[in-house]
């Protein structure tokens, strides 16, 4: 063997070994597009694992849809385990809610009534609400696995049907129907726009957990406080950075903000679907993803904080989850740090859509006029407002995902699959808890885990069901009675 050949071979081995070693030692990099709770979670999880992460957020501040509330209601640790794990990590203390706000309240013809009071003043309405709860529970029981809601032809048929059609068949008396409509529209969207299977699947996720677990505590500073705590962990967050394009190449992906390009090994795309539709992707989304972008229904929910000189609602409880028969719901009293009395009102579904043509002040006036009829003098005591109109915000485009009829059958868990080096996160990508803080956080964790697996050369498995989410036992899940579905479909 000649000395020249030996030296050349040694160089090749060195070069090969060197590049492998370099690849192994190279710090993996990620760009997270969107500084809402999902993006921030993905970024923190990746950074914890030694990744170099850059968060790009279009707005001047992080936090996304984490809202207007100065003291937000959160569910119990049983209901929102991921949220509570982060609250614990960042030593954010949620204050237990008093018992009286854990049960829903009703504002009927402007008169506040607790559940117990309603039972006395209008037994027929209370009975009809209980009948609705029981029917929804029967529907939920028919979904054996909420991660797999399409296991039978019958369940697929539920997806083709709207929640409104099912409610029509229940034939609730008018006040009860108005209250049920309000509950569905403020949690998801207008019943006429909602897949019945989605309503059933969501009821299945929370089955066995009493409603009182939903408003178990208040978080001072709201979910914004969590967003800030997550943000503080991160080394590189760029705000006012609207991402217009993402270009994937064989060994990297480049994200465009104006004329600047940021490159990394992976991108976590944590923006709501309407905002995703405005980003130019190369290669483009799949045909199904593009169709989903146009189709998938988002609920509509605007939030307004009305500031009064004093609590014009007197001693009425107005706190917790209050549904009104006149479309004002959910509402609750907020701490007024600068004095006075603050009331947070959510306008949901078509009630909010109808007002989308109004200017901010006009919209507030519409609500004030109604509120003044319930609590005379409210307009005189009114001294200001803050407003979040998520449906009109181009960086959101709605409140949150709320599957419309036929959409689960087409798009179930579509956004959990990566597109090359791009991973999707955001509440809309979580199969169990869409439209919630829990869903946003879980999706960030899932996307970070996927990036780590891809970087390690592993193939991706679909996410496993969270143990707590499928808590109800199998016998319960099979609890659909004979004739239940035939009655439903007549
Ligand atoms: C009115 C209302 C009430 C709610 N109430 C509750 C509740 O009581 N309990 C509960 O658990 N959940 C509630 N939620 C849901 C919860 O707030 C959301 O699920 C969660 O905040 C969504 O987080 P996200 O990170 O998925 O999305 P977002 O918070 O929307 O974050 C996405 C981010 O991406 C940014 N972005 C968009 N496009 C681009 C771009 N091209 N380039 C860069 N950045 C971009 C946006 O500015 C935004 O900051 C409520 C939501 C609303 C709207």
């Amino acid at each position: 063997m000649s000395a020249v050949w030996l030296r050349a071979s040694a160089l090749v081995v060195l070069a090969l070994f060197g590049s492998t070693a370099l690849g192994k030692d190279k710090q993996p990099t990620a760009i997270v597009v969107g500084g809402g709770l999902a993006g921030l979670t993905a970024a923190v999880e990746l950074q914890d694992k030694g990744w170099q992460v850059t968060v790009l957020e279009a707005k001047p501040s992080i936090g996304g849809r984490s809202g207007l509330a100065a003291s937000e209601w959160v569910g119990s640790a049983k209901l929102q385990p991921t949220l509570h794990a982060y609250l614990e990590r960042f030593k954010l203390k949620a204050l237990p809610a008093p018992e009286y706000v854990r049960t829903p309240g009703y504002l009927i013809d402007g008169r506040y009534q607790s559940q117990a009071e309603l039972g006395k003043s209008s037994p027929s309405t209370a009975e009809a609400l209980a009948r609705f709860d029981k029917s929804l529970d029967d529907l939920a029981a028919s979904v054996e696995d909420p991660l797999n809601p399409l296991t039978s032809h019958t369940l697929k048929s539920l997806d083709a049907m709207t929640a409104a059609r099912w409610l029509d068949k229940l034939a609730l008396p008018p006040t009860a129907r108005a209250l049920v409509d309000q509950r569905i529209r403020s949690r998801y969207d207008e019943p006429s726009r909602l897949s019945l299977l989605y309503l059933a699947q969501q009821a299945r996720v929370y089955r066995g957990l009493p409603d009182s677990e939903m408003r178990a505590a208040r978080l001072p500073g709201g979910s914004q406080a969590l967003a800030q705590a997550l943000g503080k962990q991160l080394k590189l967050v760029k705000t006012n950075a609207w991402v217009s394009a993402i270009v994937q190449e064989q060994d990297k992906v480049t994200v465009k903000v104006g004329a600047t390009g940021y490159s990394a090994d992976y991108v976590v795309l944590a923006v709501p679907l309407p905002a995703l539709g405005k980003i130019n992707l190369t290669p483009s989304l799949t045909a199904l993803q593009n169709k989903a972008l146009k189709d998938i229904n988002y609920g509509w929910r605007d939030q307004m904080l009305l500031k009064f000189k004093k609590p014009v609602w007197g001693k009425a409880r107005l706190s917790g989850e209050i549904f009104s028969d006149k479309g004002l719901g959910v509402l609750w009293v907020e701490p007024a740090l600068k004095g006075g009395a603050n009331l947070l009102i959510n306008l949901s579904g078509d009630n909010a859509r109808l007002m989308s043509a109004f200017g901010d002040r006009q919209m507030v006036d519409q609500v004030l006029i109604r509120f003044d009829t319930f609590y005379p003098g409210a307009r005189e005591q009114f001294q200001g407002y803050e407003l979040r109109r998520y449906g009109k915000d181009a960086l959101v485009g709605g409140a949150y995902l709320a599957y419309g009829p036929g959409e689960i059958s087409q798009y179930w868990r579509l956004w959990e699959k990566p597109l090359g080096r791009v991973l999707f996160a955001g509440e809309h990508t979580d199969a169990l808890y869409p439209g919630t803080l829990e869903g946003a956080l879980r999706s960030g964790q899932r996307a970070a885990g996927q990036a780590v697996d891809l970087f390690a050369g592993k193939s991706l498995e679909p996410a496993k069901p969270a143990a707590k989410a499928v808590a109800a036992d199998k016998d319960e899940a099979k609890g659909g009675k004979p004739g239940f579905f035939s009655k439903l479909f007549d």
Side-chain angles (χ1 to χ4, degrees), residues 103-122:
T103 50
Y106 302 98
L107 198 61
I108 299 171
D109 290 328
R111 191 161 81 84
Y112 169 76
Q113 300 182 51
S114 68
Q115 213 162 20
E117 285 161 346
L118 184 70
K120 284 186 201 135
S121 70
S122 178

Side-chain angles (χ1 to χ4, degrees), residues 44-121:
V44 166
E45 293 296 326
L46 286 170
Q47 198 180 270
D48 283 354
K49 292 191 172 64
W51 286 48
Q52 189 196 89
V53 185
T54 307
V55 176
L56 300 173
E57 165 56 49
K59 290 198 171 164
S61 56
I62 57 171
R65 273 169 283 174
S66 44
L68 197 50
S71 178
E72 194 163 328
W73 295 108
V74 291
S76 68
K78 259 195 228 158
L79 197 105
Q80 296 177 310
T82 320
L83 171 65
H84 281 268
Y86 282 110
L87 295 183
E88 208 164 287
R89 171 171 170 180
F90 298 123
K91 302 199 173 12
L92 294 170
K93 215 168 163 37
L95 309 170
E99 200 51 42
Y100 73 90
V101 295
R102 289 174 162 228
T103 50
Y106 302 98
L107 198 61
I108 299 171
D109 290 328
R111 191 161 81 84
Y112 169 76
Q113 300 182 51
S114 68
Q115 213 162 20
E117 285 161 346
L118 184 70
K120 284 186 201 135
S121 70

Side-chain angles (χ1 to χ4, degrees), residues 30 32 38-39 41-49 51 86 266-268 416 418 423-425 441-463:
V32 174
T41 305
V44 166
E45 293 296 326
L46 286 170
Q47 198 180 270
D48 283 354
K49 292 191 172 64
W51 286 48
Y86 282 110
Y266 292 95
V267 163
V268 175
E416 285 179 43
L423 304 135
F424 300 94
L441 299 168
R442 276 167 46 100
S443 77
Q445 289 185 338
R446 192 248 317 128
Q450 287 179 318
V452 170
D453 283 351
L454 285 177
F455 187 73
K458 288 189 198 157
S459 60
L460 296 184
E461 298 290 327

Side-chain angles (χ1 to χ4, degrees), residues 316-365:
R317 195 192 76 178
L318 289 200
S319 219
E321 196 169 23
I322 296 171
F323 303 108
S324 92
D325 61 340
K326 299 283 185 293
L328 290 183
V330 183
L331 32 103
W332 65 82
V333 178
E334 277 282 295
L337 303 175
K338 293 181 187 151
N342 291 351
L343 184 69
L344 197 125
I345 298 187
N346 290 263
L347 283 181
S348 313
D350 287 352
N351 290 328
R353 283 185 182 92
L354 269 175
M355 292 205 195
S356 65
F358 288 13
D360 288 359
R361 181 60 216 228
Q362 278 174 309
M363 182 166 160
V364 169
D365 279 343

Side-chain angles (χ1 to χ4, degrees), residues 33-39 56-59 61-67 72-73 80 215 223 241-244 270-272 275-276 279 301-303 332 346 390 395-396 398-400 425-428 434-438 440 443:
V33 183
L37 285 173
L56 300 173
E57 165 56 49
K59 290 198 171 164
S61 56
I62 57 171
R65 273 169 283 174
S66 44
E72 194 163 328
W73 295 108
Q80 296 177 310
R215 310 261 169 225
S223 47
W242 181 68
V243 169
S244 58
V271 305
L276 175 51
I279 300 177
R301 184 167 159 188
D302 294 328
Q303 275 188 331
W332 65 82
N346 290 263
Y390 299 93
L395 294 170
V396 186
Y400 34 67
E427 52 79 17
H428 60 282
T436 66
L437 305 172
E438 181 73 7
S443 77

Side-chain angles (χ1 to χ4, degrees), residues 186-378:
S186 56
R187 286 190 188 169
Y188 311 104
D189 196 5
E190 208 59 44
S192 58
R193 296 175 187 266
L194 202 66
S195 151
L196 180 56
L197 181 59
Y198 185 52
L199 186 67
Q201 186 258 3
Q202 283 297 289
R204 176 67 180 85
V205 168
Y206 296 102
R207 191 162 190 245
L209 292 168
D211 250 23
S212 56
E213 302 273 330
M214 287 186 89
R215 310 261 169 225
R218 275 188 110 156
L219 178 63
S223 47
Q224 260 301 335
L226 177 57
Q228 295 308 321
L230 286 161
K232 260 196 207 151
Q233 304 290 307
L234 294 167
K235 295 189 183 129
L236 199 52
V237 178
K238 285 184 186 292
T239 49
N240 294 311
W242 181 68
V243 169
S244 58
I246 297 174
V247 180
Q248 297 197 53
E249 291 161 63
Q250 197 168 355
D251 56 352
K252 66 172 181 181
V253 50
T254 301
V255 169
K256 284 273 196 178
V257 176
T260 310
Y262 297 85
S263 294
D265 297 318
Y266 292 95
V267 163
V268 175
L269 194 41
V271 305
L273 293 178
L276 175 51
K278 297 191 179 83
I279 300 177
N280 204 335
L281 282 124
T282 313
S284 66
L285 295 171
T286 64
L288 189 64
Q289 285 170 327
N290 270 319
K291 187 168 175 299
L293 276 189
K294 291 193 196 101
D295 275 4
I296 289 187
N297 184 56
Y298 265 55
W300 200 294
R301 184 167 159 188
D302 294 328
Q303 275 188 331
M304 74 176 59
L305 184 71
L306 300 183
K307 301 177 182 182
F308 297 95
K309 288 180 211 144
K310 61 177 195 192
V312 289
W313 44 91
K315 288 202 167 44
R317 195 192 76 178
L318 289 200
S319 219
E321 196 169 23
I322 296 171
F323 303 108
S324 92
D325 61 340
K326 299 283 185 293
L328 290 183
V330 183
L331 32 103
W332 65 82
V333 178
E334 277 282 295
L337 303 175
K338 293 181 187 151
N342 291 351
L343 184 69
L344 197 125
I345 298 187
N346 290 263
L347 283 181
S348 313
D350 287 352
N351 290 328
R353 283 185 182 92
L354 269 175
M355 292 205 195
S356 65
F358 288 13
D360 288 359
R361 181 60 216 228
Q362 278 174 309
M363 182 166 160
V364 169
D365 279 343
Q366 288 299 315
V367 172
L368 265 179
I369 289 166
R370 282 183 222 191
F371 203 64
D372 197 76
T373 59
F374 300 160
Y375 298 108

Side-chain angles (χ1 to χ4, degrees), residues 17-28 50 455:
F17 181 76
S19 70
T20 320
L22 245 182
K24 241 182 160 182
D25 289 347
K26 181 185 164 279
Q27 185 185 23
F455 187 73

